Amino acid sequence: MSNIKKDYIFYSIVIVFAMIFLTMTPQIKITNASFIIGPKTWPYTLLILLLVLGAYGIISSFFKSKKIQETEATEDNEDNEPERRLFKLSIPIVCLITVILYVLLLSVFGFILSSLIFLYGLSFLLGEKKQLNAIIFSIATTTVFVFLFPVLLSIPLPRGMGVFRHFSLLFY
């Protein structure tokens, strides 16, 4: 299956996912109507953004396929880059497995440690060559989320169990 067809399938799934959850979002209960931005605002914003990005992806894939057809008609493409693989799995599949493991291990290791390891590993999976950049990225991103959610918005993040819980208590 060509990459363009995979893109069409992926963006179609994103659009269907967003539409399904957009139909479910009005069922969210409003507990305090004094705020302009209520509990429905964030899901609506993200789901509409998903719809827009899904539509953009389909449109850009369409134009990319037209461009590829034009270049194939004029010349032969023999310098195709081989698909990157890890453990005989494609990189997107490995990323999906990594995200699933991250979510499952959040309650055991807590947000801080899990996120540091997850973001560090994910940056290498996605092609980062320099170890220092991956470390800085994982620390900065985790720091922003720890400051944003538990500190600024008072939204608790998973603290972990045992020693990991005590480690999380040092930060939030």
Side-chain angles (χ1 to χ4, degrees):
M1 185 181 305
S2 72
N3 285 338
I4 300 297
K5 287 182 183 178
K6 289 178 185 177
D7 288 346
Y8 282 136
I9 292 170
F10 173 75
Y11 291 123
S12 299
I13 290 171
V14 167
I15 289 172
V16 168
F17 171 82
M19 290 173 70
I20 289 170
F21 283 100
L22 265 174
T23 60
M24 298 168 74
T25 303
Q27 298 172 2
I28 296 174
K29 303 277 190 249
I30 297 177
T31 57
N32 190 355
S34 64
F35 293 111
I36 295 171
I37 298 175
K40 294 181 184 181
T41 306
W42 184 248
Y44 271 129
T45 304
L46 287 179
L47 293 170
I48 290 171
L49 183 63
L50 271 177
L51 280 174
V52 169
L53 290 175
Y56 173 77
I58 287 177
I59 292 169
S60 66
S61 295
F62 175 75
F63 286 120
K64 190 188 304 181
S65 69
K66 292 294 182 188
K67 191 175 186 179
I68 288 173
Q69 287 174 356
E70 289 174 3
T71 57
E72 284 178 353
T74 58
E75 63 183 44
D76 286 319
N77 276 342
E78 294 183 15
D79 57 337
N80 291 337
E81 185 177 315
E83 186 176 334
R84 290 180 38 206
R85 294 189 167 274
L86 184 67
F87 303 117
K88 296 184 180 181
L89 296 171
S90 66
I91 295 299
I93 299 297
V94 174
C95 288
L96 178 65
I97 292 169
T98 306
V99 169
I100 292 170
L101 284 173
Y102 169 69
V103 170
L104 292 175
L105 295 176
L106 262 175
S107 61
V108 176
F109 296 118
F111 178 79
I112 294 175
L113 186 62
S114 297
S115 296
L116 287 172
I117 294 168
F118 170 71
L119 292 170
Y120 177 76
L122 195 65
S123 63
F124 280 112
L125 276 176
L126 297 177
E128 179 59 50
K129 302 277 190 256
K130 297 180 181 175
Q131 191 170 6
L132 181 63
N133 288 349
I135 291 171
I136 291 171
F137 169 72
S138 63
I139 291 173
T141 305
T142 304
T143 303
V144 166
F145 278 104
V146 167
F147 177 74
L148 179 66
F149 287 101
V151 176
L152 194 62
L153 297 173
S154 298
I155 298 172
L157 293 173
R159 293 188 187 261
M161 294 182 204
V163 175
F164 304 114
R165 179 172 177 75
H166 294 295
F167 178 72
S168 294
L169 290 172
L170 294 174
F171 297 98
Y172 62 95

